[in-house]
Amino acid sequence: MTKDGTTIIVGAGLAGLTAALELLDTGERIVLVDRDSPEAVGGLARLSFGGLFFANTPLQARHKITDSADAAFADWCRFGELTEGAEDALPRAWAQAYCADSAGLYHWLTGLGQKFMPVPLWVERDGNTVPRWHVCWGTGDGLVRTILRALEAHPGRDRLTIRYGIRVDGLSTSGGAVTGITGEDEATGTPVALDAARVVIATGGINGVDALIREHWHKDWQPAPPVILTGAHQYGDGTMHRAAAGAGAQVHRLDRNWNYAGGIHHWNPTKPNHGLSTVPARSALWVNGQGARIMPPMVSGFDTRDLFTQLCRQPAGYGWQVMNRKIALKELAVSGAEMNPAVRDHKMLSFAAQILFGNRWLYDTLTQNCVDVVVADDLPSLVNKMNALSVGGVEMREDTLRAALSAWDAEIAKGNGSSDPQMQALTTLRQWKADKLRLTRGVKVLDPKAGPLVAIRTFPIARKSLGGIVTDLASRVLTPQGDAIPGLYAVGEAAGFGGGNMNGIRGLEGTFLGGALYTARRLGAAAREGA
Ligand SMILES: Cc1cc2nc3c(=O)[nH]c(=O)nc-3n(C[C@H](O)[C@H](O)[C@H](O)COP(=O)(O)OP(=O)(O)OC[C@H]3O[C@@H](n4cnc5c(N)ncnc54)[C@H](O)[C@@H]3O)c2cc1C
């Protein structure tokens, strides 16, 4: 790469924007192209909750959390099932580098003006041995604004051109090197061909298209359920993964995906099968479409992949979270910026009130708008409403559901004396102050004083592609033989967040936004050194 060459970055999500910010430091001219509109700049990060995985930060220290890069890396490899074999050498190298540099990433962001919520959260507890999820104040929307502000303030800003509405669908090559891109201006149908000394693929994952999701459905989740929602980018159609493969890249592990079990239909969909991901109430009972409790009990916050696998195995691959209004107000949440306006819009008082007194805004929004949420004063009425929403002819039986709820209420009544695994999980959760604040205690589901009853139909929702285009630690795209393809780079979700699968089979959460930033930072560091 020569200093006076042009770099084309395909995709203006968090990874593409950060790559642009980093590469401006090298003195290059940069053309950033995206299929989407200017309002959608920032891609999925804009919609995200903004939780980032960092180890050994001042925020952790403030809460007396002892952590280290080594501890984080050990948790990461165990949870992601990254082996010490050659097949995982690159993902492990990326994971190790990420853990070593994550505190630096935190400082870099705070240096750019990004603020974080006052307490790190403890997600994926079967993986994370300490709380590491640092939530951006302003959600992912705030994070994108931070990067955009830095871009606008960069002294080399006039070397960056951003073009929206351009679909890139091919790579030009010459003598084994990538020399540019081809595509189309989607508004006019005009073909676009641009030459470049370097092309960076930052087009995100592949979970935007139902057919592609099903094509790469993991064997653990077979047969694929009839309804699969998606929270991924609508342009996540694998076009640039295929283009990279066509240029000789290794693209792998597309069946490794980070999906969720709490998917509900979006009531204002902007893409096919558009879903939102609930953060399920932990005191709710998760039952299958027939009303039987799903066993072992489904409790979020420990192993998201495990929950997802369990849901897929239920009749017709869906389930119901059953609770009451009191539990919903205190415990129910929905992932992302859109359903957390208090955090997104920096309204600290509203946020504090929601934590202390319950999130009435969310309760009203969901119960009034979402087709998957039913409310009733008594169980027979609730079951009628649930049956009206049954999938694949699965019948909800009132006696089965009543027995399951009564048994669960009996465990709730026992409190700490209960040996029920869900009760024990609740006890574990309460040990971290941030979780304790968001849990009810002793509220029985069938208690009429805590009503009305609420049931939420949940579907599998596809989200992050953990696999992707294989890259080295400079974000150069590699062939299956391990050679770098001259002129071709990949960052963010397109690159499996680094190395083609930095997380392995599971992610510790926050490693996706983190991976988008980190892969771009590695690209920038290598470019500054002339790679
Ligand atoms: C609701 C929600 C909540 C989330 N919460 C978190 C969280 O708290 N923590 C976390 O770590 N992760 C979270 N994530 C995941 C995280 O947001 C994404 O993994 C990350 O933002 C991906 O960034 P990216 O830049 O690699 O890809 P994307 O954001 O997908 O951006 C890709 C860009 O490429 C463009 N593009 C695609 N194809 C083409 C093409 N052929 N030609 C031109 N342009 C193209 C798209 O228009 C898009 O702008 C969340 C995701 C969602 C949806």
Side-chain angles (χ1 to χ4, degrees), residues 122-129 301-303 428-430 432 435:
W122 200 343
V123 293
E124 297 303 297
R125 283 171 182 245
D126 285 354
N128 285 305
T129 45
F302 290 84
D303 183 339
T428 303
L429 288 167
R430 276 195 194 93
W432 181 237
D435 284 313

Side-chain angles (χ1 to χ4, degrees), residues 399-413:
D399 53 350
T400 308
L401 182 59
R402 186 180 294 282
L405 290 172
S406 301
W408 172 231
D409 280 353
E411 296 302 329
I412 291 177

